[in-house]
PDB file of all heavy atoms in Angstrom:
ATOM      1  N   LEU K  57    -131.672-117.169  14.066  1.00 98.00           N
ATOM      2  CA  LEU K  57    -133.220-117.149  14.068  1.00 98.00           C
ATOM      3  C   LEU K  57    -133.875-118.539  14.377  1.00 98.00           C
ATOM      4  O   LEU K  57    -134.779-118.577  15.157  1.00 98.00           O
ATOM      5  CB  LEU K  57    -133.720-116.747  12.697  1.00 98.00           C
ATOM      6  CG  LEU K  57    -133.488-115.325  12.282  1.00 98.00           C
ATOM      7  CD1 LEU K  57    -133.771-115.043  10.731  1.00 98.00           C
ATOM      8  CD2 LEU K  57    -134.147-114.299  13.137  1.00 98.00           C
ATOM      9  N   ALA K  58    -133.194-119.568  13.974  1.00 98.00           N
ATOM     10  CA  ALA K  58    -133.622-120.926  14.364  1.00 98.00           C
ATOM     11  C   ALA K  58    -133.610-121.318  15.735  1.00 98.00           C
ATOM     12  O   ALA K  58    -134.284-122.098  16.249  1.00 98.00           O
ATOM     13  CB  ALA K  58    -132.935-122.040  13.412  1.00 98.00           C
ATOM     14  N   VAL K  75    -135.304-108.490  13.502  1.00 98.00           N
ATOM     15  CA  VAL K  75    -136.596-108.188  13.907  1.00 98.00           C
ATOM     16  C   VAL K  75    -137.652-108.351  12.811  1.00 98.00           C
ATOM     17  O   VAL K  75    -138.668-108.909  13.076  1.00 98.00           O
ATOM     18  CB  VAL K  75    -136.632-106.818  14.573  1.00 98.00           C
ATOM     19  CG1 VAL K  75    -138.013-106.499  15.028  1.00 98.00           C
ATOM     20  CG2 VAL K  75    -135.673-106.770  15.780  1.00 98.00           C
ATOM     21  N   ALA K  76    -137.274-107.788  11.687  1.00 98.00           N
ATOM     22  CA  ALA K  76    -138.257-107.893  10.508  1.00 98.00           C
ATOM     23  C   ALA K  76    -138.472-109.334  10.074  1.00 98.00           C
ATOM     24  O   ALA K  76    -139.601-109.724   9.743  1.00 98.00           O
ATOM     25  CB  ALA K  76    -137.675-106.978   9.424  1.00 98.00           C
ATOM     26  N   ALA K  77    -137.420-110.044  10.068  1.00 98.00           N
ATOM     27  CA  ALA K  77    -137.575-111.492   9.703  1.00 98.00           C
ATOM     28  C   ALA K  77    -138.339-112.232  10.725  1.00 98.00           C
ATOM     29  O   ALA K  77    -139.220-112.995  10.336  1.00 98.00           O
ATOM     30  CB  ALA K  77    -136.128-112.032   9.597  1.00 98.00           C
ATOM     31  N   LEU K  78    -138.300-111.960  12.007  1.00 98.00           N
ATOM     32  CA  LEU K  78    -139.099-112.643  12.968  1.00 98.00           C
ATOM     33  C   LEU K  78    -140.526-112.189  12.853  1.00 98.00           C
ATOM     34  O   LEU K  78    -141.452-113.063  12.963  1.00 98.00           O
ATOM     35  CB  LEU K  78    -138.395-112.179  14.373  1.00 98.00           C
ATOM     36  CG  LEU K  78    -137.156-112.925  14.833  1.00 98.00           C
ATOM     37  CD1 LEU K  78    -136.520-112.162  16.034  1.00 98.00           C
ATOM     38  CD2 LEU K  78    -137.426-114.353  15.163  1.00 98.00           C
ATOM     39  N   ALA K  79    -140.759-110.881  12.480  1.00 98.00           N
ATOM     40  CA  ALA K  79    -142.108-110.449  12.365  1.00 98.00           C
ATOM     41  C   ALA K  79    -142.806-111.174  11.217  1.00 98.00           C
ATOM     42  O   ALA K  79    -143.889-111.501  11.231  1.00 98.00           O
ATOM     43  CB  ALA K  79    -142.178-108.933  12.046  1.00 98.00           C
ATOM     44  N   ARG K  80    -142.084-111.376  10.112  1.00 97.00           N
ATOM     45  CA  ARG K  80    -142.603-112.115   8.890  1.00 97.00           C
ATOM     46  C   ARG K  80    -143.005-113.529   9.344  1.00 97.00           C
ATOM     47  O   ARG K  80    -143.861-114.123   8.771  1.00 97.00           O
ATOM     48  CB  ARG K  80    -141.632-112.049   7.848  1.00 97.00           C
ATOM     49  CG  ARG K  80    -141.503-110.632   7.129  1.00 97.00           C
ATOM     50  CD  ARG K  80    -140.766-110.836   5.797  1.00 97.00           C
ATOM     51  NE  ARG K  80    -139.428-111.277   5.940  1.00 97.00           N
ATOM     52  CZ  ARG K  80    -138.355-110.454   6.065  1.00 97.00           C
ATOM     53  NH1 ARG K  80    -138.582-109.137   6.253  1.00 97.00           N
ATOM     54  NH2 ARG K  80    -137.123-110.951   6.214  1.00 97.00           N
ATOM     55  N   LEU K  81    -142.222-114.086  10.309  1.00 96.00           N
ATOM     56  CA  LEU K  81    -142.545-115.431  10.793  1.00 96.00           C
ATOM     57  C   LEU K  81    -143.635-115.482  11.875  1.00 96.00           C
ATOM     58  O   LEU K  81    -144.049-116.452  12.324  1.00 96.00           O
ATOM     59  CB  LEU K  81    -141.296-116.084  11.443  1.00 96.00           C
ATOM     60  CG  LEU K  81    -140.092-116.286  10.451  1.00 96.00           C
ATOM     61  CD1 LEU K  81    -138.856-116.724  11.158  1.00 96.00           C
ATOM     62  CD2 LEU K  81    -140.564-117.413   9.427  1.00 96.00           C
ATOM     63  N   GLY K  82    -144.255-114.262  12.134  1.00 96.00           N
ATOM     64  CA  GLY K  82    -145.291-114.181  13.124  1.00 96.00           C
ATOM     65  C   GLY K  82    -144.793-114.324  14.567  1.00 96.00           C
ATOM     66  O   GLY K  82    -145.516-114.589  15.431  1.00 96.00           O
ATOM     67  N   ARG K  83    -143.459-114.057  14.724  1.00 97.00           N
ATOM     68  CA  ARG K  83    -142.908-114.145  16.111  1.00 97.00           C
ATOM     69  C   ARG K  83    -142.866-112.826  16.744  1.00 97.00           C
ATOM     70  O   ARG K  83    -142.443-111.864  16.147  1.00 97.00           O
ATOM     71  CB  ARG K  83    -141.391-114.677  15.999  1.00 97.00           C
ATOM     72  CG  ARG K  83    -141.366-115.964  15.204  1.00 97.00           C
ATOM     73  CD  ARG K  83    -141.803-117.182  16.068  1.00 97.00           C
ATOM     74  NE  ARG K  83    -140.973-117.306  17.337  1.00 97.00           N
ATOM     75  CZ  ARG K  83    -139.789-117.863  17.404  1.00 97.00           C
ATOM     76  NH1 ARG K  83    -139.217-118.351  16.310  1.00 97.00           N
ATOM     77  NH2 ARG K  83    -139.075-117.963  18.384  1.00 97.00           N
ATOM     78  N   PRO K  84    -143.236-112.624  18.048  1.00 98.00           N
ATOM     79  CA  PRO K  84    -143.256-111.374  18.807  1.00 98.00           C
ATOM     80  C   PRO K  84    -141.740-111.123  18.960  1.00 98.00           C
ATOM     81  O   PRO K  84    -140.873-111.770  19.522  1.00 98.00           O
ATOM     82  CB  PRO K  84    -143.867-111.777  20.120  1.00 98.00           C
ATOM     83  CG  PRO K  84    -143.908-113.222  20.272  1.00 98.00           C
ATOM     84  CD  PRO K  84    -143.892-113.777  18.837  1.00 98.00           C
TER      85      PRO K  84
END
Side-chain angles (χ1 to χ4, degrees):
L57 294 169
V75 175
L78 288 162
R80 289 194 295 270
L81 294 170
R83 305 285 300 279

